[in-house]
Amino acid sequence: PAPAAPPAPPAAPAAAAGSGKINLDKGRVNLQKNQTVSLVKGGAPLLSRVRMGLGWEPAFRGKDIDLDASVIAYGPNRNHLDSCYFGKLTILNGAIKHSGDNLTGEGAGDDEVIMVDLGRIPAEATGLVFTVNSFTGQKFNEVAKAYCRLIDDASGEELVRFDLTGAEPQTGVMMAKLIKQFTGEWEMTAMGEFVKSRTVRGMVKPAAKAL
């Protein structure tokens, strides 16, 4: 006789399904604005090194776009801990490192990359906001195809991507935030919120409010 079929795996609890939490189990996640993904794979939180790649293209040919990617670190009370940008390439004892400044936005691939070692981020840092600013004062309606993507550093696999749709005549945008949960994993939320600020310093207060 044919062997008995193995028992069906138990269904996921309704609460988990109802909460609408997306995780990394099914491969790459494309986020829409304000959507959140839990950085959990196979039931385990992702605590390895990841890269946040940020890229953009000039909307008008022949015109360079000089944008600066940064990440701002906060504590549990939205208190500003430090900012990692072209003028300060390493923060949080080396847990976050910036690739340096790309002056034109020309060419394929990520324009700027920020390395984040999730397992080495100190306990007092619970929120990270990734921002892009135009130091030269160019507005985001002069920018095309701005995006951010989270990449597993070891495998090079793209985990999460957010393409910025729509543009406003502002000089700064909050692209995404990573928030550490009480249970130890990080969650990434797509933001796409424009701010009038040419520098990361001017982003500190609006980003704290948006956490």
mmCIF file with all atom_site columns, all heavy atoms in Angstrom, residues 71-75 77-84 200-201 204-205 208:
data_model
loop_
_atom_site.group_PDB
_atom_site.id
_atom_site.type_symbol
_atom_site.label_atom_id
_atom_site.label_alt_id
_atom_site.label_comp_id
_atom_site.label_asym_id
_atom_site.label_entity_id
_atom_site.label_seq_id
_atom_site.pdbx_PDB_ins_code
_atom_site.Cartn_x
_atom_site.Cartn_y
_atom_site.Cartn_z
_atom_site.occupancy
_atom_site.B_iso_or_equiv
_atom_site.pdbx_formal_charge
_atom_site.auth_seq_id
_atom_site.auth_comp_id
_atom_site.auth_asym_id
_atom_site.auth_atom_id
_atom_site.pdbx_PDB_model_num
ATOM 1   N N   . VAL A 1 71  ? 22.760 58.697 7.501  1.00 0.00 ? 71  VAL A N   1
ATOM 2   C CA  . VAL A 1 71  ? 21.891 57.971 8.430  1.00 0.00 ? 71  VAL A CA  1
ATOM 3   C C   . VAL A 1 71  ? 22.022 58.645 9.789  1.00 0.00 ? 71  VAL A C   1
ATOM 4   O O   . VAL A 1 71  ? 23.116 59.014 10.216 1.00 0.00 ? 71  VAL A O   1
ATOM 5   C CB  . VAL A 1 71  ? 22.225 56.462 8.490  1.00 0.00 ? 71  VAL A CB  1
ATOM 6   C CG1 . VAL A 1 71  ? 23.654 56.199 8.910  1.00 0.00 ? 71  VAL A CG1 1
ATOM 7   C CG2 . VAL A 1 71  ? 21.257 55.735 9.420  1.00 0.00 ? 71  VAL A CG2 1
ATOM 8   N N   . ILE A 1 72  ? 20.877 58.847 10.430 1.00 0.00 ? 72  ILE A N   1
ATOM 9   C CA  . ILE A 1 72  ? 20.830 59.512 11.735 1.00 0.00 ? 72  ILE A CA  1
ATOM 10  C C   . ILE A 1 72  ? 20.404 58.469 12.764 1.00 0.00 ? 72  ILE A C   1
ATOM 11  O O   . ILE A 1 72  ? 19.407 57.765 12.564 1.00 0.00 ? 72  ILE A O   1
ATOM 12  C CB  . ILE A 1 72  ? 19.832 60.681 11.716 1.00 0.00 ? 72  ILE A CB  1
ATOM 13  C CG1 . ILE A 1 72  ? 20.093 61.589 10.501 1.00 0.00 ? 72  ILE A CG1 1
ATOM 14  C CG2 . ILE A 1 72  ? 19.929 61.489 13.003 1.00 0.00 ? 72  ILE A CG2 1
ATOM 15  C CD1 . ILE A 1 72  ? 18.995 62.616 10.256 1.00 0.00 ? 72  ILE A CD1 1
ATOM 16  N N   . ALA A 1 73  ? 21.179 58.360 13.847 1.00 0.00 ? 73  ALA A N   1
ATOM 17  C CA  . ALA A 1 73  ? 20.908 57.357 14.886 1.00 0.00 ? 73  ALA A CA  1
ATOM 18  C C   . ALA A 1 73  ? 20.256 58.018 16.097 1.00 0.00 ? 73  ALA A C   1
ATOM 19  O O   . ALA A 1 73  ? 20.673 59.100 16.526 1.00 0.00 ? 73  ALA A O   1
ATOM 20  C CB  . ALA A 1 73  ? 22.206 56.666 15.297 1.00 0.00 ? 73  ALA A CB  1
ATOM 21  N N   . TYR A 1 74  ? 19.240 57.328 16.635 1.00 0.00 ? 74  TYR A N   1
ATOM 22  C CA  . TYR A 1 74  ? 18.482 57.845 17.778 1.00 0.00 ? 74  TYR A CA  1
ATOM 23  C C   . TYR A 1 74  ? 18.389 56.792 18.874 1.00 0.00 ? 74  TYR A C   1
ATOM 24  O O   . TYR A 1 74  ? 18.443 55.590 18.615 1.00 0.00 ? 74  TYR A O   1
ATOM 25  C CB  . TYR A 1 74  ? 17.050 58.207 17.354 1.00 0.00 ? 74  TYR A CB  1
ATOM 26  C CG  . TYR A 1 74  ? 16.977 59.328 16.354 1.00 0.00 ? 74  TYR A CG  1
ATOM 27  C CD1 . TYR A 1 74  ? 16.986 59.057 14.994 1.00 0.00 ? 74  TYR A CD1 1
ATOM 28  C CD2 . TYR A 1 74  ? 16.899 60.655 16.763 1.00 0.00 ? 74  TYR A CD2 1
ATOM 29  C CE1 . TYR A 1 74  ? 16.923 60.082 14.061 1.00 0.00 ? 74  TYR A CE1 1
ATOM 30  C CE2 . TYR A 1 74  ? 16.839 61.688 15.836 1.00 0.00 ? 74  TYR A CE2 1
ATOM 31  C CZ  . TYR A 1 74  ? 16.847 61.396 14.490 1.00 0.00 ? 74  TYR A CZ  1
ATOM 32  O OH  . TYR A 1 74  ? 16.792 62.404 13.570 1.00 0.00 ? 74  TYR A OH  1
ATOM 33  N N   . GLY A 1 75  ? 18.174 57.294 20.097 1.00 0.00 ? 75  GLY A N   1
ATOM 34  C CA  . GLY A 1 75  ? 17.906 56.424 21.232 1.00 0.00 ? 75  GLY A CA  1
ATOM 35  C C   . GLY A 1 75  ? 16.412 56.218 21.411 1.00 0.00 ? 75  GLY A C   1
ATOM 36  O O   . GLY A 1 75  ? 15.596 56.726 20.635 1.00 0.00 ? 75  GLY A O   1
ATOM 37  N N   . ASN A 1 77  ? 14.205 57.430 23.311 1.00 0.00 ? 77  ASN A N   1
ATOM 38  C CA  . ASN A 1 77  ? 13.355 58.606 23.533 1.00 0.00 ? 77  ASN A CA  1
ATOM 39  C C   . ASN A 1 77  ? 13.468 59.599 22.383 1.00 0.00 ? 77  ASN A C   1
ATOM 40  O O   . ASN A 1 77  ? 13.276 60.803 22.571 1.00 0.00 ? 77  ASN A O   1
ATOM 41  C CB  . ASN A 1 77  ? 13.730 59.288 24.854 1.00 0.00 ? 77  ASN A CB  1
ATOM 42  C CG  . ASN A 1 77  ? 13.541 58.355 26.031 1.00 0.00 ? 77  ASN A CG  1
ATOM 43  O OD1 . ASN A 1 77  ? 12.516 57.686 26.132 1.00 0.00 ? 77  ASN A OD1 1
ATOM 44  N ND2 . ASN A 1 77  ? 14.533 58.278 26.905 1.00 0.00 ? 77  ASN A ND2 1
ATOM 45  N N   . ARG A 1 78  ? 13.808 59.079 21.195 1.00 0.00 ? 78  ARG A N   1
ATOM 46  C CA  . ARG A 1 78  ? 14.010 59.904 19.995 1.00 0.00 ? 78  ARG A CA  1
ATOM 47  C C   . ARG A 1 78  ? 15.144 60.902 20.191 1.00 0.00 ? 78  ARG A C   1
ATOM 48  O O   . ARG A 1 78  ? 15.188 61.943 19.536 1.00 0.00 ? 78  ARG A O   1
ATOM 49  C CB  . ARG A 1 78  ? 12.720 60.636 19.600 1.00 0.00 ? 78  ARG A CB  1
ATOM 50  C CG  . ARG A 1 78  ? 11.556 59.703 19.327 1.00 0.00 ? 78  ARG A CG  1
ATOM 51  C CD  . ARG A 1 78  ? 10.349 60.461 18.829 1.00 0.00 ? 78  ARG A CD  1
ATOM 52  N NE  . ARG A 1 78  ? 9.218  59.556 18.599 1.00 0.00 ? 78  ARG A NE  1
ATOM 53  C CZ  . ARG A 1 78  ? 8.094  59.916 18.007 1.00 0.00 ? 78  ARG A CZ  1
ATOM 54  N NH1 . ARG A 1 78  ? 7.940  61.143 17.579 1.00 0.00 ? 78  ARG A NH1 1
ATOM 55  N NH2 . ARG A 1 78  ? 7.116  59.047 17.833 1.00 0.00 ? 78  ARG A NH2 1
ATOM 56  N N   . ASN A 1 79  ? 16.033 60.590 21.126 1.00 0.00 ? 79  ASN A N   1
ATOM 57  C CA  . ASN A 1 79  ? 17.184 61.457 21.369 1.00 0.00 ? 79  ASN A CA  1
ATOM 58  C C   . ASN A 1 79  ? 18.256 61.181 20.319 1.00 0.00 ? 79  ASN A C   1
ATOM 59  O O   . ASN A 1 79  ? 18.575 60.032 20.022 1.00 0.00 ? 79  ASN A O   1
ATOM 60  C CB  . ASN A 1 79  ? 17.733 61.230 22.787 1.00 0.00 ? 79  ASN A CB  1
ATOM 61  C CG  . ASN A 1 79  ? 17.887 59.753 23.137 1.00 0.00 ? 79  ASN A CG  1
ATOM 62  O OD1 . ASN A 1 79  ? 16.944 58.976 22.971 1.00 0.00 ? 79  ASN A OD1 1
ATOM 63  N ND2 . ASN A 1 79  ? 19.053 59.356 23.616 1.00 0.00 ? 79  ASN A ND2 1
ATOM 64  N N   . HIS A 1 80  ? 18.802 62.261 19.756 1.00 0.00 ? 80  HIS A N   1
ATOM 65  C CA  . HIS A 1 80  ? 19.794 62.145 18.685 1.00 0.00 ? 80  HIS A CA  1
ATOM 66  C C   . HIS A 1 80  ? 21.118 61.660 19.260 1.00 0.00 ? 80  HIS A C   1
ATOM 67  O O   . HIS A 1 80  ? 21.680 62.274 20.161 1.00 0.00 ? 80  HIS A O   1
ATOM 68  C CB  . HIS A 1 80  ? 19.966 63.523 18.024 1.00 0.00 ? 80  HIS A CB  1
ATOM 69  C CG  . HIS A 1 80  ? 21.004 63.544 16.954 1.00 0.00 ? 80  HIS A CG  1
ATOM 70  N ND1 . HIS A 1 80  ? 21.922 64.564 16.813 1.00 0.00 ? 80  HIS A ND1 1
ATOM 71  C CD2 . HIS A 1 80  ? 21.274 62.668 15.958 1.00 0.00 ? 80  HIS A CD2 1
ATOM 72  C CE1 . HIS A 1 80  ? 22.707 64.309 15.780 1.00 0.00 ? 80  HIS A CE1 1
ATOM 73  N NE2 . HIS A 1 80  ? 22.333 63.175 15.247 1.00 0.00 ? 80  HIS A NE2 1
ATOM 74  N N   . LEU A 1 81  ? 21.626 60.547 18.729 1.00 0.00 ? 81  LEU A N   1
ATOM 75  C CA  . LEU A 1 81  ? 22.907 60.003 19.196 1.00 0.00 ? 81  LEU A CA  1
ATOM 76  C C   . LEU A 1 81  ? 24.063 60.451 18.311 1.00 0.00 ? 81  LEU A C   1
ATOM 77  O O   . LEU A 1 81  ? 25.098 60.887 18.801 1.00 0.00 ? 81  LEU A O   1
ATOM 78  C CB  . LEU A 1 81  ? 22.851 58.470 19.226 1.00 0.00 ? 81  LEU A CB  1
ATOM 79  C CG  . LEU A 1 81  ? 21.824 57.840 20.165 1.00 0.00 ? 81  LEU A CG  1
ATOM 80  C CD1 . LEU A 1 81  ? 21.842 56.332 20.010 1.00 0.00 ? 81  LEU A CD1 1
ATOM 81  C CD2 . LEU A 1 81  ? 22.089 58.228 21.615 1.00 0.00 ? 81  LEU A CD2 1
ATOM 82  N N   . ASP A 1 82  ? 23.888 60.327 16.991 1.00 0.00 ? 82  ASP A N   1
ATOM 83  C CA  . ASP A 1 82  ? 24.971 60.681 16.070 1.00 0.00 ? 82  ASP A CA  1
ATOM 84  C C   . ASP A 1 82  ? 24.434 60.643 14.647 1.00 0.00 ? 82  ASP A C   1
ATOM 85  O O   . ASP A 1 82  ? 23.360 60.089 14.390 1.00 0.00 ? 82  ASP A O   1
ATOM 86  C CB  . ASP A 1 82  ? 26.141 59.699 16.206 1.00 0.00 ? 82  ASP A CB  1
ATOM 87  C CG  . ASP A 1 82  ? 27.495 60.377 15.973 1.00 0.00 ? 82  ASP A CG  1
ATOM 88  O OD1 . ASP A 1 82  ? 27.510 61.465 15.351 1.00 0.00 ? 82  ASP A OD1 1
ATOM 89  O OD2 . ASP A 1 82  ? 28.515 59.825 16.411 1.00 0.00 ? 82  ASP A OD2 1
ATOM 90  N N   . SER A 1 83  ? 25.193 61.227 13.725 1.00 0.00 ? 83  SER A N   1
ATOM 91  C CA  . SER A 1 83  ? 24.831 61.209 12.305 1.00 0.00 ? 83  SER A CA  1
ATOM 92  C C   . SER A 1 83  ? 26.039 60.762 11.499 1.00 0.00 ? 83  SER A C   1
ATOM 93  O O   . SER A 1 83  ? 27.156 61.225 11.735 1.00 0.00 ? 83  SER A O   1
ATOM 94  C CB  . SER A 1 83  ? 24.398 62.604 11.833 1.00 0.00 ? 83  SER A CB  1
ATOM 95  O OG  . SER A 1 83  ? 23.296 63.068 12.582 1.00 0.00 ? 83  SER A OG  1
ATOM 96  N N   . CYS A 1 84  ? 25.793 59.859 10.549 1.00 0.00 ? 84  CYS A N   1
ATOM 97  C CA  . CYS A 1 84  ? 26.844 59.350 9.669  1.00 0.00 ? 84  CYS A CA  1
ATOM 98  C C   . CYS A 1 84  ? 26.603 59.939 8.283  1.00 0.00 ? 84  CYS A C   1
ATOM 99  O O   . CYS A 1 84  ? 25.548 59.726 7.686  1.00 0.00 ? 84  CYS A O   1
ATOM 100 C CB  . CYS A 1 84  ? 26.777 57.823 9.638  1.00 0.00 ? 84  CYS A CB  1
ATOM 101 S SG  . CYS A 1 84  ? 28.080 57.046 8.678  1.00 0.00 ? 84  CYS A SG  1
ATOM 102 N N   . VAL A 1 200 ? 22.316 67.269 6.639  1.00 0.00 ? 200 VAL A N   1
ATOM 103 C CA  . VAL A 1 200 ? 21.828 66.263 7.577  1.00 0.00 ? 200 VAL A CA  1
ATOM 104 C C   . VAL A 1 200 ? 21.468 66.917 8.912  1.00 0.00 ? 200 VAL A C   1
ATOM 105 O O   . VAL A 1 200 ? 20.541 66.477 9.601  1.00 0.00 ? 200 VAL A O   1
ATOM 106 C CB  . VAL A 1 200 ? 22.863 65.126 7.745  1.00 0.00 ? 200 VAL A CB  1
ATOM 107 C CG1 . VAL A 1 200 ? 24.130 65.611 8.415  1.00 0.00 ? 200 VAL A CG1 1
ATOM 108 C CG2 . VAL A 1 200 ? 22.274 63.960 8.530  1.00 0.00 ? 200 VAL A CG2 1
ATOM 109 N N   . ARG A 1 201 ? 22.160 67.988 9.268  1.00 0.00 ? 201 ARG A N   1
ATOM 110 C CA  . ARG A 1 201 ? 21.866 68.659 10.543 1.00 0.00 ? 201 ARG A CA  1
ATOM 111 C C   . ARG A 1 201 ? 20.410 69.127 10.584 1.00 0.00 ? 201 ARG A C   1
ATOM 112 O O   . ARG A 1 201 ? 19.737 69.021 11.603 1.00 0.00 ? 201 ARG A O   1
ATOM 113 C CB  . ARG A 1 201 ? 22.813 69.843 10.725 1.00 0.00 ? 201 ARG A CB  1
ATOM 114 C CG  . ARG A 1 201 ? 22.685 70.515 12.079 1.00 0.00 ? 201 ARG A CG  1
ATOM 115 C CD  . ARG A 1 201 ? 23.690 71.643 12.220 1.00 0.00 ? 201 ARG A CD  1
ATOM 116 N NE  . ARG A 1 201 ? 25.053 71.151 12.168 1.00 0.00 ? 201 ARG A NE  1
ATOM 117 C CZ  . ARG A 1 201 ? 26.114 71.928 11.958 1.00 0.00 ? 201 ARG A CZ  1
ATOM 118 N NH1 . ARG A 1 201 ? 25.959 73.219 11.756 1.00 0.00 ? 201 ARG A NH1 1
ATOM 119 N NH2 . ARG A 1 201 ? 27.326 71.423 11.945 1.00 0.00 ? 201 ARG A NH2 1
ATOM 120 N N   . VAL A 1 204 ? 17.691 66.338 11.498 1.00 0.00 ? 204 VAL A N   1
ATOM 121 C CA  . VAL A 1 204 ? 17.669 65.640 12.787 1.00 0.00 ? 204 VAL A CA  1
ATOM 122 C C   . VAL A 1 204 ? 16.309 65.757 13.471 1.00 0.00 ? 204 VAL A C   1
ATOM 123 O O   . VAL A 1 204 ? 15.744 64.762 13.936 1.00 0.00 ? 204 VAL A O   1
ATOM 124 C CB  . VAL A 1 204 ? 18.807 66.157 13.702 1.00 0.00 ? 204 VAL A CB  1
ATOM 125 C CG1 . VAL A 1 204 ? 18.641 65.630 15.124 1.00 0.00 ? 204 VAL A CG1 1
ATOM 126 C CG2 . VAL A 1 204 ? 20.165 65.744 13.139 1.00 0.00 ? 204 VAL A CG2 1
ATOM 127 N N   . LYS A 1 205 ? 15.743 66.972 13.517 1.00 0.00 ? 205 LYS A N   1
ATOM 128 C CA  . LYS A 1 205 ? 14.454 67.146 14.208 1.00 0.00 ? 205 LYS A CA  1
ATOM 129 C C   . LYS A 1 205 ? 13.297 66.505 13.448 1.00 0.00 ? 205 LYS A C   1
ATOM 130 O O   . LYS A 1 205 ? 12.502 65.770 14.035 1.00 0.00 ? 205 LYS A O   1
ATOM 131 C CB  . LYS A 1 205 ? 14.188 68.634 14.462 1.00 0.00 ? 205 LYS A CB  1
ATOM 132 C CG  . LYS A 1 205 ? 14.944 69.167 15.661 1.00 0.00 ? 205 LYS A CG  1
ATOM 133 C CD  . LYS A 1 205 ? 14.525 70.581 16.006 1.00 0.00 ? 205 LYS A CD  1
ATOM 134 C CE  . LYS A 1 205 ? 15.277 71.078 17.241 1.00 0.00 ? 205 LYS A CE  1
ATOM 135 N NZ  . LYS A 1 205 ? 15.015 72.508 17.494 1.00 0.00 ? 205 LYS A NZ  1
ATOM 136 N N   . ALA A 1 208 ? 13.461 62.752 13.845 1.00 0.00 ? 208 ALA A N   1
ATOM 137 C CA  . ALA A 1 208 ? 13.086 62.296 15.190 1.00 0.00 ? 208 ALA A CA  1
ATOM 138 C C   . ALA A 1 208 ? 11.568 62.227 15.316 1.00 0.00 ? 208 ALA A C   1
ATOM 139 O O   . ALA A 1 208 ? 11.014 61.273 15.871 1.00 0.00 ? 208 ALA A O   1
ATOM 140 C CB  . ALA A 1 208 ? 13.666 63.235 16.245 1.00 0.00 ? 208 ALA A CB  1
#
